[in-house]
Amino acid sequence: MERKARFRELVLGIEGLALLRQATDGDEAFLRARVDEIREFVNKPSSGGGKPLDELDPAAGYATWASIYDSLPNAFIAVEQPVVHRLVERSPAGVALDAACGTGRHTGALVARGHRAIGVDQSPEMLSVARDKVPAAEFRAGDLEKLPVDDGSVDLALCALALTHLADLRPGVRELARTLRPGGRLIISDLHPMMVLLQGQAPFVSGPGRLAFVRNHVHLTGQYLTAFADAGLVVTSCTEPLFNGQLPPSGFEEQVAEAARAAWDGIPSVVVWELEKPL
């Protein structure tokens, strides 16, 4: 019989992080509850170690996600999207690129604000959803490191929650900068390096009793700044929205919701950069 994914280790990690963060100033009742939950979970006969999580490459992972992506609650999108949309509203209508557009959640916002939007993604499954959802946009298949867009042809470029999947930021950032006309703006959102360091990987349910992940790489602030400078971009703002209390839909954190919310409280979930390509 196939063993389940490593729910025990994931839950104990969350409990331990909550204890670590609250050990100095935490309420005694809260700390006792964490220790009691750890003891209870470890001693459950059914809580033995399970099958390692499946690692999927972006093509396989987003093919799996495509049909359900828009219906799943997403704690990262919940804090990222309002910030990105506020920044988009500052740009006059023009030609806008949504790189790694996924199901078109930002592409639709660009069209609604009068832009001629071009969405690019490596996943045919995600592009199929995007085309149905945003018929007024143009969609093209392509990778972040080789965008099918002419040099200097867009006024606004957007890349949301995707650079984290690249081991090296620089090629993707150079490509985004290449597509911008002089004076053009670039908006990048990504998982916050602190969140990636603490969380490890963000699992999702890939089947009954199975968890999978698409690898997120840690990109420190200095690495972003180096990549931006190498691409000739100038930072105009940086926003770090904090965890808002919404837990991901993978299931294991809901089992220890009090510990999970304490573990992530006050930690930035994403980082949103606003940049310009000088004239």
Side-chain angles (χ1 to χ4, degrees):
M1 184 174 71
E2 183 180 33
R3 292 185 297 170
K4 292 186 176 181
R6 291 179 174 165
F7 285 97
R8 180 188 64 179
E9 289 80 358
L10 292 166
V11 167
L12 292 179
I14 292 293
E15 292 279 8
L17 180 56
L19 271 177
L20 180 65
R21 296 196 62 210
Q22 297 290 327
T24 303
D25 300 318
D27 175 81
E28 287 298 326
F30 173 87
L31 298 177
R32 284 197 302 272
R34 303 286 67 75
V35 173
D36 289 345
E37 282 187 351
I38 290 171
R39 184 180 294 115
E40 178 185 359
F41 204 86
V42 167
N43 290 333
K44 283 181 180 179
S46 61
S47 69
K51 184 181 185 299
L53 278 66
D54 298 321
E55 179 172 359
L56 304 178
D57 63 25
Y62 283 97
T64 301
W65 268 335
S67 64
I68 57 174
Y69 190 85
D70 288 336
S71 63
L72 292 175
N74 189 310
F76 298 115
I77 288 176
V79 298
E80 176 259 6
Q81 188 159 291
V83 177
V84 170
H85 286 186
R86 283 198 297 272
L87 294 176
V88 167
E89 287 171 356
R90 298 180 186 174
S91 288
V95 179
L97 167 66
D98 187 2
C101 64
T103 61
R105 65 186 181 91
H106 286 315
T107 320
L110 292 169
V111 169
R113 288 162 176 77
H115 294 279
R116 182 168 74 82
I118 302 167
V120 175
D121 202 274
Q122 58 81 29
S123 170
E125 294 83 3
M126 298 291 267
L127 284 173
S128 177
V129 176
R131 288 188 177 102
D132 288 341
K133 189 163 65 175
V134 195
E138 177 187 352
F139 292 97
R140 305 173 185 175
D143 296 327
L144 271 176
E145 295 171 302
K146 193 174 182 181
L147 293 166
V149 180
D150 291 338
D151 294 358
S153 60
V154 304
D155 303 290
L156 172 67
L158 169 62
C159 182
L161 304 180
L163 289 175
T164 188
H165 296 317
L166 300 182
D168 185 351
L169 282 169
R170 291 169 296 178
V173 172
R174 280 197 298 267
E175 271 294 275
L176 291 163
R178 177 188 63 78
T179 70
L180 285 174
R181 64 166 178 79
R185 294 175 66 234
L186 172 61
I187 300 168
I188 291 174
S189 69
D190 216 354
L191 300 189
H192 199 283
M194 183 179 293
M195 180 61 74
V196 180
L197 282 166
L198 290 174
Q199 187 181 59
Q201 300 300 322
F204 64 92
V205 177
S206 61
R210 297 183 68 88
L211 294 178
F213 68 94
V214 176
R215 185 164 297 278
N216 295 318
H217 297 275
V218 176
H219 300 311
L220 301 178
T221 300
Q223 292 172 311
Y224 285 107
L225 294 175
T226 297
F228 299 153
D230 287 350
L233 297 168
V234 176
V235 176
T236 55
S237 73
C238 177
T239 307
E240 299 170 287
L242 303 181
F243 169 72
N244 71 347
Q246 181 175 318
L247 298 178
S250 51
F252 75 91
E253 291 194 35
E254 288 290 356
Q255 296 183 38
V256 287
E258 184 180 30
R261 292 192 172 93
W264 306 125
D265 181 52
I267 289 177
S269 295
V270 301
V271 58
V272 183
W273 298 94
E274 181 185 25
L275 306 113
E276 289 185 355
K277 185 174 186 177
L279 294 169

